[in-house]
Coordinates of all heavy atoms in Angstrom, one line a residue:
M1 N 94.4 98.0 126.0 CA 94.7 98.9 124.9 C 94.0 98.5 123.7 O 93.6 99.4 123.0 CB 96.2 99.0 124.8 CG 96.6 99.9 123.7 SD 98.3 100.3 123.7 CE 98.6 100.9 122.1
L2 N 93.9 97.2 123.4 CA 93.3 96.8 122.1 C 91.8 97.2 122.1 O 91.3 97.7 121.1 CB 93.5 95.4 122.0 CG 92.9 94.7 120.7 CD1 93.5 95.4 119.4 CD2 93.1 93.2 120.6
D3 N 91.2 97.1 123.3 CA 89.8 97.6 123.4 C 89.6 99.0 123.0 O 88.6 99.4 122.3 CB 89.2 97.3 124.7 CG 89.0 95.8 125.0 OD1 88.8 95.0 124.0 OD2 89.1 95.4 126.2
S4 N 90.5 99.9 123.4 CA 90.5 101.3 123.2 C 90.6 101.5 121.7 O 90.0 102.4 121.1 CB 91.4 102.1 124.0 OG 92.7 101.8 123.7
I5 N 91.5 100.7 121.0 CA 91.6 100.9 119.6 C 90.4 100.5 118.9 O 89.9 101.2 117.9 CB 92.9 100.0 119.1 CG1 94.2 100.6 119.7 CG2 93.0 100.0 117.6 CD1 95.4 99.7 119.5
K6 N 89.9 99.3 119.2 CA 88.6 98.9 118.6 C 87.5 99.9 118.8 O 86.7 100.2 117.9 CB 88.2 97.5 119.2 CG 89.1 96.4 118.7 CD 88.6 95.0 119.3 CE 89.4 93.9 118.9 NZ 89.0 92.6 119.4
T7 N 87.4 100.5 120.0 CA 86.4 101.5 120.3 C 86.6 102.7 119.3 O 85.6 103.2 118.8 CB 86.4 102.0 121.8 OG1 86.1 100.8 122.5 CG2 85.4 103.0 122.0
A8 N 87.8 103.2 119.2 CA 88.1 104.3 118.4 C 87.7 104.0 116.9 O 87.1 104.9 116.3 CB 89.6 104.7 118.5
Y9 N 88.1 102.9 116.4 CA 87.6 102.4 115.1 C 86.1 102.5 115.0 O 85.6 103.1 113.9 CB 88.1 101.0 114.7 CG 89.5 101.0 114.1 CD1 90.6 101.3 114.9 CD2 89.6 100.7 112.8 CE1 91.9 101.2 114.3 CE2 90.9 100.6 112.2 CZ 92.0 100.8 113.0 OH 93.2 100.8 112.4
H10 N 85.4 102.0 115.9 CA 83.9 101.9 115.9 C 83.4 103.3 115.9 O 82.4 103.6 115.1 CB 83.4 101.1 117.1 CG 81.9 101.0 117.1 ND1 81.2 100.3 116.2 CD2 81.0 101.6 117.9 CE1 80.0 100.4 116.5 NE2 79.8 101.2 117.5
E11 N 83.9 104.2 116.7 CA 83.4 105.6 116.8 C 83.6 106.3 115.5 O 82.9 107.2 115.1 CB 84.0 106.3 117.9 CG 83.6 105.8 119.3 CD 84.4 106.4 120.5 OE1 85.3 107.2 120.2 OE2 84.0 106.1 121.6
L12 N 84.7 105.9 114.8 CA 85.0 106.6 113.5 C 84.1 106.0 112.4 O 84.2 106.4 111.2 CB 86.4 106.5 113.2 CG 87.4 107.3 114.0 CD1 88.8 107.0 113.7 CD2 87.2 108.8 113.8
G13 N 83.4 104.9 112.7 CA 82.7 104.2 111.6 C 83.5 103.3 110.7 O 83.1 102.9 109.6
V14 N 84.7 102.9 111.3 CA 85.7 102.1 110.5 C 85.7 100.6 111.1 O 85.7 100.5 112.3 CB 87.1 102.7 110.5 CG1 88.0 101.8 109.7 CG2 87.1 104.1 109.9
R15 N 85.6 99.7 110.2 CA 85.7 98.3 110.7 C 87.1 97.9 111.1 O 88.1 98.1 110.4 CB 85.2 97.3 109.6 CG 85.1 95.9 110.1 CD 84.5 95.1 109.0 NE 85.3 94.9 107.9 CZ 86.2 93.9 107.7 NH1 86.4 93.0 108.6 NH2 86.9 93.8 106.6
F16 N 87.2 97.4 112.3 CA 88.5 97.0 112.9 C 88.9 95.8 112.1 O 88.2 94.8 112.1 CB 88.5 96.7 114.4 CG 89.8 96.2 114.9 CD1 90.8 97.1 115.1 CD2 90.0 94.8 115.2 CE1 92.0 96.6 115.6 CE2 91.2 94.4 115.7 CZ 92.2 95.3 115.9
N17 N 90.1 95.7 111.5 CA 90.5 94.6 110.6 C 91.9 94.0 111.2 O 92.6 93.4 110.4 CB 90.7 95.2 109.2 CG 90.8 94.1 108.3 OD1 90.5 92.9 108.4 ND2 91.4 94.3 107.0
G18 N 92.1 94.2 112.4 CA 93.3 93.6 113.0 C 94.4 94.6 113.1 O 94.4 95.7 112.6
L19 N 95.5 94.1 113.8 CA 96.7 95.0 113.9 C 97.9 94.6 113.0 O 98.0 93.4 112.7 CB 97.1 94.9 115.4 CG 96.1 95.4 116.4 CD1 96.6 95.1 117.8 CD2 95.8 96.9 116.2
W20 N 98.8 95.5 112.9 CA 100.0 95.4 112.1 C 101.1 95.2 113.1 O 101.4 96.0 113.9 CB 100.1 96.6 111.2 CG 101.4 96.6 110.5 CD1 102.3 95.6 110.2 CD2 101.9 97.8 109.8 NE1 103.3 96.1 109.5 CE2 103.1 97.4 109.2 CE3 101.5 99.1 109.8 CZ2 103.9 98.4 108.5 CZ3 102.2 100.0 109.0 CH2 103.5 99.6 108.4
Y21 N 101.9 94.1 113.0 CA 103.0 93.8 113.9 C 104.3 93.8 113.0 O 104.3 93.2 111.9 CB 102.8 92.4 114.6 CG 101.7 92.4 115.5 CD1 100.4 92.1 115.1 CD2 102.0 92.6 116.9 CE1 99.4 92.1 116.1 CE2 101.0 92.6 117.8 CZ 99.7 92.3 117.4 OH 98.7 92.3 118.4
R22 N 105.3 94.4 113.6 CA 106.6 94.3 113.0 C 107.5 93.8 114.1 O 107.7 94.4 115.1 CB 107.1 95.7 112.6 CG 108.6 95.6 112.0 CD 109.0 96.9 111.5 NE 108.3 97.2 110.2 CZ 108.2 98.4 109.7 NH1 108.7 99.4 110.3 NH2 107.6 98.5 108.6
I23 N 108.1 92.6 113.9 CA 108.9 91.9 114.8 C 110.3 91.8 114.3 O 110.5 91.1 113.3 CB 108.3 90.5 115.2 CG1 106.9 90.6 115.7 CG2 109.2 89.8 116.2 CD1 106.2 89.3 115.9
D24 N 111.3 92.3 115.0 CA 112.7 92.2 114.6 C 113.2 91.0 115.2 O 113.5 90.9 116.4 CB 113.4 93.5 115.0 CG 114.6 93.8 114.1 OD1 114.8 93.0 113.2 OD2 115.3 94.8 114.4
T25 N 113.5 90.0 114.4 CA 114.0 88.7 114.9 C 115.5 88.7 115.2 O 116.0 87.8 115.7 CB 113.6 87.6 113.9 OG1 114.3 87.8 112.6 CG2 112.1 87.5 113.7
T26 N 116.1 89.8 114.7 CA 117.5 89.9 115.1 C 117.9 91.4 114.8 O 117.2 92.1 114.1 CB 118.5 89.1 114.1 OG1 119.8 89.3 114.5 CG2 118.3 89.4 112.7
N27 N 118.9 91.9 115.5 CA 119.3 93.2 115.3 C 120.7 93.2 114.6 O 121.4 94.2 114.5 CB 119.4 94.0 116.6 CG 120.3 93.4 117.6 OD1 120.9 92.3 117.5 ND2 120.6 94.2 118.7
A28 N 121.1 92.0 114.1 CA 122.4 91.9 113.4 C 122.1 92.1 111.9 O 121.0 91.9 111.4 CB 122.9 90.4 113.6
C29 N 123.1 92.6 111.2 CA 123.1 92.9 109.8 C 124.6 92.9 109.3 O 125.4 93.5 110.0 CB 122.4 94.2 109.5 SG 122.3 94.6 107.8
G30 N 124.7 92.3 108.1 CA 126.0 92.2 107.5 C 126.4 93.4 106.7 O 127.5 93.5 106.2
L31 N 125.4 94.3 106.5 CA 125.6 95.5 105.7 C 126.1 96.7 106.5 O 125.9 96.7 107.7 CB 124.4 95.9 104.9 CG 123.9 94.8 104.0 CD1 122.6 95.3 103.4 CD2 124.9 94.4 103.0
T32 N 126.8 97.7 105.9 CA 127.1 99.0 106.6 C 126.6 100.1 105.8 O 127.4 100.9 105.3 CB 128.6 99.0 106.8 OG1 129.3 98.9 105.5 CG2 129.1 98.0 107.8
C33 N 125.3 100.2 105.6 CA 124.7 101.3 104.8 C 125.0 102.6 105.5 O 124.8 102.7 106.7 CB 123.2 101.0 104.7 SG 122.8 99.4 103.9
P34 N 125.4 103.6 104.7 CA 125.8 104.8 105.4 C 124.7 105.6 106.0 O 124.9 106.5 106.9 CB 126.4 105.7 104.2 CG 125.9 105.0 103.0 CD 125.6 103.5 103.3
T35 N 123.5 105.4 105.6 CA 122.3 106.2 106.1 C 121.5 105.4 107.2 O 120.6 105.9 107.7 CB 121.3 106.6 105.0 OG1 120.9 105.3 104.4 CG2 122.0 107.5 104.0
C36 N 122.0 104.2 107.5 CA 121.2 103.4 108.5 C 121.6 103.8 109.9 O 122.8 103.8 110.4 CB 121.6 101.9 108.2 SG 120.6 100.8 109.4
A37 N 120.6 103.9 110.7 CA 120.7 104.3 112.1 C 121.2 103.2 113.0 O 121.7 103.3 114.1 CB 119.4 104.8 112.7
R38 N 121.1 102.0 112.5 CA 121.5 100.8 113.2 C 123.0 100.8 113.7 O 123.3 100.3 114.7 CB 121.3 99.5 112.4 CG 121.4 98.2 113.2 CD 121.3 97.0 112.3 NE 122.2 97.1 111.2 CZ 123.6 96.9 111.3 NH1 124.1 96.6 112.4 NH2 124.3 96.9 110.2
A39 N 123.8 101.5 112.9 CA 125.2 101.6 113.2 C 125.4 102.3 114.6 O 126.4 102.1 115.3 CB 126.0 102.3 112.2
K40 N 124.4 103.1 115.0 CA 124.5 103.9 116.2 C 124.0 103.2 117.4 O 124.1 103.6 118.6 CB 123.7 105.2 116.1 CG 124.2 106.1 115.0 CD 125.5 106.7 115.3 CE 125.9 107.8 114.2 NZ 127.3 108.1 114.2
F41 N 123.3 102.0 117.2 CA 122.8 101.2 118.3 C 123.9 100.7 119.2 O 124.9 100.2 118.7 CB 122.0 100.1 117.8 CG 120.7 100.4 117.0 CD1 120.0 99.4 116.4 CD2 120.3 101.7 116.9 CE1 118.9 99.7 115.7 CE2 119.1 102.0 116.2 CZ 118.4 101.0 115.6
E42 N 123.7 100.8 120.5 CA 124.7 100.3 121.4 C 124.3 99.0 122.0 O 125.1 98.4 122.9 CB 124.9 101.3 122.5 CG 125.4 102.7 122.0 CD 125.7 103.7 123.1 OE1 125.5 103.4 124.3 OE2 125.9 104.8 122.7
T43 N 123.2 98.4 121.7 CA 122.8 97.1 122.2 C 123.6 96.0 121.5 O 124.0 96.0 120.3 CB 121.3 96.8 122.0 OG1 121.0 96.9 120.6 CG2 120.4 97.8 122.7
P44 N 123.9 94.9 122.2 CA 124.7 93.8 121.6 C 123.9 93.1 120.6 O 122.6 93.1 120.7 CB 125.0 92.8 122.8 CG 124.4 93.5 124.0 CD 123.7 94.7 123.7
K45 N 124.5 92.6 119.6 CA 123.8 91.9 118.5 C 123.4 90.6 119.0 O 124.0 89.9 119.8 CB 124.8 91.7 117.3 CG 125.4 92.9 116.8 CD 124.6 93.7 115.9 CE 125.3 94.8 115.2 NZ 125.6 95.9 116.1
G46 N 122.1 90.2 118.5 CA 121.6 88.8 119.0 C 120.5 88.4 118.1 O 120.0 89.1 117.3
M47 N 120.1 87.2 118.4 CA 118.9 86.6 117.6 C 117.8 86.3 118.6 O 118.0 85.8 119.7 CB 119.4 85.3 117.0 CG 120.6 85.4 116.0 SD 120.1 86.1 114.6 CE 121.8 86.5 113.9
M48 N 116.5 86.4 118.1 CA 115.4 86.1 118.9 C 115.3 84.6 119.0 O 115.4 83.9 118.0 CB 114.2 86.7 118.4 CG 112.9 86.4 119.1 SD 111.5 87.1 118.4 CE 111.7 88.9 118.8
S49 N 114.9 84.0 120.1 CA 114.7 82.6 120.2 C 113.3 82.2 119.6 O 112.4 83.1 119.6 CB 114.9 82.1 121.7 OG 113.8 82.6 122.4
L50 N 113.2 81.0 119.2 CA 111.9 80.5 118.8 C 110.8 80.6 119.9 O 109.7 81.0 119.6 CB 112.0 79.1 118.2 CG 110.7 78.4 117.7 CD1 110.2 79.3 116.6 CD2 111.1 77.0 117.2
D51 N 111.3 80.3 121.1 CA 110.3 80.4 122.2 C 109.8 81.8 122.4 O 108.6 82.0 122.7 CB 111.1 79.8 123.5 CG 110.2 79.8 124.7 OD1 109.1 79.1 124.6 OD2 110.5 80.4 125.7
T52 N 110.7 82.8 122.4 CA 110.2 84.1 122.5 C 109.4 84.6 121.4 O 108.3 85.2 121.7 CB 111.5 85.1 122.5 OG1 112.3 84.8 123.7 CG2 111.0 86.5 122.7
F53 N 109.6 84.1 120.2 CA 108.7 84.5 119.1 C 107.4 83.8 119.2 O 106.4 84.5 119.0 CB 109.4 84.0 117.7 CG 108.6 84.3 116.6 CD1 108.6 85.5 116.0 CD2 107.7 83.3 116.0 CE1 107.8 85.9 114.8 CE2 107.0 83.6 114.9 CZ 107.0 84.8 114.3
K54 N 107.3 82.6 119.7 CA 106.0 81.9 119.8 C 105.2 82.7 120.9 O 104.0 82.8 120.8 CB 106.2 80.5 120.3 CG 106.7 79.6 119.1 CD 106.9 78.1 119.6 CE 107.2 77.2 118.5 NZ 107.4 75.9 118.9
K55 N 105.9 83.1 122.0 CA 105.1 83.9 123.1 C 104.6 85.1 122.5 O 103.4 85.5 122.8 CB 106.1 84.1 124.2 CG 106.5 82.9 125.0 CD 107.4 83.3 126.1 CE 107.8 82.0 126.9 NZ 108.8 82.3 127.9
I56 N 105.3 85.9 121.7 CA 104.8 87.1 121.1 C 103.6 86.8 120.2 O 102.5 87.5 120.3 CB 105.9 87.8 120.3 CG1 107.0 88.3 121.3 CG2 105.4 88.9 119.5 CD1 108.3 88.7 120.6
I57 N 103.7 85.9 119.3 CA 102.6 85.6 118.4 C 101.4 85.1 119.1 O 100.3 85.5 118.9 CB 103.1 84.5 117.3 CG1 104.2 85.1 116.4 CG2 101.9 84.1 116.5 CD1 103.8 86.3 115.6
D58 N 101.6 84.1 120.1 CA 100.4 83.6 120.8 C 99.7 84.7 121.6 O 98.5 84.8 121.6 CB 100.9 82.5 121.7 CG 101.4 81.3 121.0 OD1 101.2 81.2 119.8 OD2 102.0 80.4 121.6
K59 N 100.5 85.6 122.2 CA 99.9 86.7 122.9 C 99.1 87.7 121.9 O 98.0 88.1 122.3 CB 100.9 87.5 123.7 CG 100.4 88.6 124.6 CD 101.5 89.2 125.4 CE 101.1 90.2 126.4 NZ 99.9 91.0 126.3
A60 N 99.7 87.9 120.8 CA 99.1 88.8 119.8 C 97.8 88.1 119.3 O 96.7 88.8 119.2 CB 100.0 89.1 118.7
L61 N 97.7 86.9 119.0 CA 96.6 86.1 118.6 C 95.5 86.1 119.7 O 94.3 86.2 119.4 CB 96.9 84.7 118.1 CG 97.7 84.7 116.8 CD1 98.1 83.3 116.5 CD2 96.8 85.2 115.7
N62 N 95.9 86.0 121.0 CA 95.0 85.9 122.1 C 94.3 87.3 122.3 O 93.1 87.4 122.7 CB 95.7 85.6 123.4 CG 94.8 85.3 124.5 OD1 93.8 84.7 124.3 ND2 95.2 85.7 125.6
E63 N 95.0 88.3 121.9 CA 94.4 89.7 122.1 C 93.6 90.2 120.9 O 92.8 91.1 121.0 CB 95.5 90.7 122.4 CG 96.3 90.4 123.7 CD 97.3 91.4 124.0 OE1 97.6 92.3 123.1 OE2 97.9 91.3 125.1
G64 N 93.8 89.6 119.8 CA 93.1 90.0 118.6 C 93.6 89.5 117.3 O 94.5 88.6 117.3
R65 N 93.1 90.0 116.2 CA 93.5 89.5 114.9 C 94.8 90.1 114.5 O 95.0 91.3 114.6 CB 92.4 89.8 113.9 CG 92.7 89.3 112.5 CD 91.4 89.6 111.7 NE 91.7 89.1 110.3 CZ 92.1 89.9 109.3 NH1 92.3 91.2 109.6 NH2 92.3 89.5 108.1
I66 N 95.7 89.4 113.8 CA 96.9 89.9 113.3 C 96.6 90.2 111.8 O 96.3 89.2 111.0 CB 98.1 88.9 113.4 CG1 98.5 88.7 114.8 CG2 99.3 89.4 112.6 CD1 99.6 87.7 115.1
R67 N 96.6 91.4 111.4 CA 96.3 91.7 110.0 C 97.6 91.6 109.1 O 97.6 91.0 108.0 CB 95.8 93.1 109.8 CG 95.4 93.4 108.4 CD 94.9 94.9 108.3 NE 96.0 95.7 108.3 CZ 95.9 97.0 108.6 NH1 94.8 97.6 109.0 NH2 97.0 97.8 108.5
T68 N 98.7 92.1 109.6 CA 99.9 92.1 108.9 C 101.1 91.7 109.9 O 101.1 92.2 111.0 CB 100.2 93.5 108.3 OG1 99.2 93.9 107.4 CG2 101.6 93.5 107.5
L69 N 102.0 90.9 109.5 CA 103.1 90.5 110.3 C 104.4 90.7 109.4 O 104.5 90.0 108.4 CB 103.0 89.1 110.7 CG 104.1 88.5 111.6 CD1 104.3 89.3 112.9 CD2 103.9 87.0 111.9
E70 N 105.3 91.5 109.9 CA 106.6 91.8 109.2 C 107.7 91.2 110.1 O 107.6 91.6 111.3 CB 106.8 93.2 108.8 CG 105.7 93.8 107.9 CD 105.9 95.3 107.6 OE1 106.7 95.9 108.3 OE2 105.2 95.7 106.7
L71 N 108.5 90.5 109.6 CA 109.6 89.9 110.4 C 110.9 90.6 110.2 O 112.0 90.0 109.9 CB 109.8 88.4 110.1 CG 108.5 87.6 110.5 CD1 108.7 86.1 110.2 CD2 108.1 87.8 111.9
Y72 N 110.9 91.9 110.2 CA 112.2 92.7 110.0 C 112.0 94.1 110.6 O 110.8 94.6 110.7 CB 112.7 92.8 108.5 CG 111.6 93.6 107.7 CD1 111.9 95.0 107.5 CD2 110.6 93.0 107.2 CE1 111.0 95.7 106.8 CE2 109.7 93.7 106.4 CZ 109.9 95.1 106.2 OH 108.9 95.8 105.5
A73 N 113.0 94.7 110.9 CA 113.0 96.1 111.3 C 114.3 96.7 111.0 O 114.6 97.2 109.9 CB 112.5 96.4 112.7
W74 N 115.2 96.6 111.9 CA 116.6 97.1 111.7 C 117.6 96.0 111.4 O 118.7 96.2 110.9 CB 117.0 97.8 113.0 CG 116.3 99.0 113.3 CD1 115.2 99.2 114.1 CD2 116.4 100.2 112.6 NE1 114.7 100.5 114.0 CE2 115.4 101.2 113.1 CE3 117.3 100.7 111.6 CZ2 115.3 102.5 112.6 CZ3 117.1 102.0 111.1 CH2 116.2 102.9 111.7
G75 N 117.2 94.7 111.7 CA 118.2 93.7 111.4 C 117.8 92.9 110.1 O 116.8 93.1 109.5
D76 N 118.7 91.9 109.7 CA 118.5 91.1 108.6 C 117.9 89.7 109.0 O 118.6 88.9 109.6 CB 119.8 90.9 107.8 CG 119.7 90.0 106.6 OD1 118.6 89.5 106.4 OD2 120.7 89.8 105.9
S77 N 116.6 89.6 108.9 CA 116.0 88.4 109.4 C 116.5 87.1 108.9 O 116.4 86.1 109.5 CB 114.5 88.5 109.1 OG 113.9 89.5 109.8
L78 N 117.1 87.2 107.7 CA 117.6 85.9 107.0 C 118.8 85.4 107.8 O 119.2 84.3 107.6 CB 118.0 86.2 105.6 CG 116.8 86.6 104.7 CD1 117.3 86.9 103.3 CD2 115.8 85.4 104.6
L79 N 119.4 86.2 108.7 CA 120.5 85.7 109.5 C 120.1 84.8 110.6 O 120.9 84.1 111.2 CB 121.3 86.9 110.0 CG 122.0 87.8 109.0 CD1 122.7 89.0 109.7 CD2 123.1 87.0 108.2
N80 N 118.8 84.9 111.0 CA 118.3 84.1 112.1 C 118.0 82.7 111.6 O 117.1 82.5 110.7 CB 117.0 84.8 112.7 CG 116.7 84.1 114.0 OD1 116.6 82.9 114.2 ND2 116.3 84.9 115.1
L81 N 118.6 81.7 112.1 CA 118.5 80.4 111.7 C 117.1 79.8 111.9 O 116.8 78.7 111.4 CB 119.6 79.4 112.3 CG 121.0 79.9 111.9 CD1 122.1 78.9 112.6 CD2 121.2 79.9 110.4
N82 N 116.3 80.4 112.8 CA 115.0 79.9 113.1 C 113.9 80.5 112.3 O 112.8 80.4 112.5 CB 114.6 80.3 114.6 CG 115.5 79.5 115.6 OD1 115.7 78.2 115.4 ND2 116.0 80.1 116.6
L83 N 114.3 81.3 111.2 CA 113.3 82.0 110.4 C 112.2 81.1 109.9 O 111.0 81.4 109.9 CB 113.9 82.8 109.3 CG 113.1 83.7 108.5 CD1 112.4 84.8 109.4 CD2 113.8 84.3 107.4
A84 N 112.6 79.9 109.4 CA 111.6 79.0 108.8 C 110.6 78.6 109.8 O 109.3 78.5 109.6 CB 112.2 77.8 108.1
E85 N 111.1 78.3 111.1 CA 110.1 77.9 112.2 C 109.3 79.1 112.6 O 108.1 78.8 112.9 CB 111.0 77.4 113.4 CG 111.6 76.0 113.1 CD 113.0 76.1 112.5 OE1 113.4 77.2 112.1 OE2 113.6 75.0 112.2
F86 N 109.8 80.3 112.6 CA 109.0 81.5 112.9 C 107.8 81.6 111.9 O 106.7 81.7 112.3 CB 109.8 82.8 112.7 CG 110.9 83.0 113.8 CD1 111.8 84.0 113.6 CD2 111.0 82.2 114.9 CE1 112.8 84.2 114.6 CE2 111.9 82.4 115.9 CZ 112.9 83.4 115.7
C87 N 108.1 81.4 110.6 CA 107.1 81.5 109.6 C 106.0 80.3 109.7 O 104.9 80.6 109.6 CB 107.6 81.4 108.2 SG 108.7 82.9 107.9
E88 N 106.5 79.1 110.0 CA 105.6 78.0 110.3 C 104.6 78.3 111.4 O 103.4 78.0 111.4 CB 106.3 76.7 110.5 CG 107.0 76.2 109.3 CD 107.9 74.9 109.6 OE1 107.7 74.4 110.7 OE2 108.6 74.5 108.8
H89 N 105.2 78.9 112.5 CA 104.3 79.1 113.7 C 103.4 80.3 113.4 O 102.2 80.3 114.0 CB 105.2 79.5 114.9 CG 104.4 79.6 116.2 ND1 103.9 78.5 116.9 CD2 104.0 80.7 116.9 CE1 103.2 78.9 117.9 NE2 103.3 80.3 117.9
A90 N 103.7 81.2 112.6 CA 102.9 82.4 112.4 C 101.7 82.2 111.4 O 100.8 82.9 111.5 CB 103.7 83.5 111.8
V91 N 101.7 81.1 110.7 CA 100.6 80.8 109.8 C 99.6 79.9 110.3 O 99.7 79.2 111.2 CB 101.0 80.3 108.4 CG1 101.8 81.4 107.7 CG2 101.9 79.0 108.4

């Protein structure tokens, strides 16, 4: 898939500059914002393990350049006790 993305960039005359990744390290959150869709999620709350995070990052780096890495989506990443180790591995 990455090759097809690079090809599309090339055909458009745009230099490929890496991919943007958003990794949700937890789906837990201590807030109850009235407009947040997370309240409707039926999956159990959990934290991503450091091992899983390392596998994701290593696979992403093996496939191409990471341009942007965001460690949040629907959960509060600060609740994951491995956040510092995630950041260390990502740089």
Side-chain angles (χ1 to χ4, degrees):
M1 180 167 161
L2 183 58
D3 288 335
S4 62
I5 293 171
K6 287 180 180 180
T7 300
Y9 269 73
H10 180 71
E11 289 173 356
L12 291 171
V14 178
R15 184 173 68 92
F16 178 75
N17 195 21
L19 295 174
W20 172 17
Y21 290 84
R22 178 176 288 161
I23 302 172
D24 207 359
T25 62
T26 181
N27 61 350
C29 182
L31 301 177
T32 55
C33 301
T35 58
C36 183
R38 191 189 52 75
K40 302 286 186 197
F41 295 173
E42 295 182 9
T43 56
K45 306 275 184 294
M47 303 288 167
M48 179 180 290
S49 71
L50 181 57
D51 185 53
T52 299
F53 181 80
K54 285 181 177 182
K55 287 177 184 175
I56 293 169
I57 294 298
D58 294 346
K59 185 173 185 339
L61 288 171
N62 189 43
E63 293 180 357
R65 182 173 178 268
I66 297 175
R67 186 182 78 204
T68 302
L69 177 63
E70 296 178 351
L71 298 181
Y72 67 92
W74 292 101
D76 181 356
S77 295
L78 296 175
L79 295 176
N80 193 316
L81 300 179
N82 292 319
L83 185 61
E85 288 87 357
F86 291 168
C87 294
E88 287 175 15
H89 187 74
V91 293

